[in-house]
Amino acid sequence: MNAAAAWAGRLERWIDALLALMLAAMVVTVFYQVFGRYVLGRAPAWSEELARFLLLFLTLLGTVSALRSGSHISVTMLFDGAPPRVRHALFWLRDLVLGAVLVLMAWQGALFASINAGQASPAFEIPMAIPYASMPVCAALMLLQLVLARLSGTPAPVSGGEGDTMISDTRG
């Protein structure tokens, strides 16, 4: 295993652990909110906001985790039955387009977060730039995973859909 694959594996393990912790925190928070509302008669003000912020980060970090395993929704019409040379070119095209979109998302997400830095969240009174930073941070992490996958020589596969068959770059 080369260094890029090792880094990609470490990053994926860290993200998966973070996702598990965030999901556990969200479950506890929502349970506490429901308990407070229906048993105590008053839900804490911070619980809904925390659950929303956790859901935002969970969703976007989940996309980083799904990239490496090829779990994203994909249309494989061009990949199906393509000869290895064409499939190799399609994987490169896919990665270049995805990389460009991720750079755009990181850039625009950072601008959006900075625009909203002066606004405070209602319950925690933290700058809204923190939850809005999820977009550029997760786009940058996806770009890093994409580059590490390319450097390791094993680009992310494409989900074939039915039967969970995976299409991979055989020349990569």
Side-chain angles (χ1 to χ4, degrees), residues 50-65:
L50 180 60
R52 284 181 191 208
F53 292 166
L54 285 171
L55 180 62
L56 177 66
F57 275 96
L58 272 168
T59 303
L60 292 173
L61 274 176
T63 64
V64 179
S65 184

Side-chain angles (χ1 to χ4, degrees), residues 9-151:
R10 270 188 234 120
L11 179 61
E12 186 174 25
R13 282 190 299 279
W14 275 99
I15 288 172
D16 287 347
L18 184 59
L19 284 168
L21 285 171
M22 292 172 101
L23 182 61
M26 191 168 110
V27 166
V28 169
T29 301
V30 170
F31 177 79
Y32 182 64
Q33 180 182 17
V34 170
F35 179 79
R37 178 173 291 139
Y38 294 108
V39 176
L40 302 177
R42 183 169 172 219
W46 56 268
S47 60
E48 183 177 351
E49 187 170 294
L50 180 60
R52 284 181 191 208
F53 292 166
L54 285 171
L55 180 62
L56 177 66
F57 275 96
L58 272 168
T59 303
L60 292 173
L61 274 176
T63 64
V64 179
S65 184
L67 176 69
R68 191 157 185 254
S69 64
S71 299
H72 284 280
I73 295 172
S74 55
V75 178
T76 62
M77 185 175 69
L78 294 175
F79 288 93
D80 294 338
R85 288 180 75 100
V86 173
R87 185 176 290 172
H88 181 70
L90 288 172
F91 268 96
W92 271 103
L93 179 64
R94 177 209 61 184
D95 288 351
L96 289 172
V97 169
L98 179 58
V101 168
L102 291 172
V103 166
L104 184 66
M105 281 178 59
W107 173 47
Q108 290 296 310
L111 286 175
F112 188 70
S114 68
I115 288 169
N116 291 291
Q119 180 185 2
S121 70
F124 289 120
E125 296 181 6
I126 59 172
M128 286 303 290
I130 293 172
Y132 289 140
S134 60
M135 170 95 55
V137 167
C138 293
L141 286 172
M142 277 184 79
L143 185 61
L144 178 61
Q145 277 288 40
L146 186 69
V147 169
L148 288 173
R150 270 288 158 197
L151 291 175

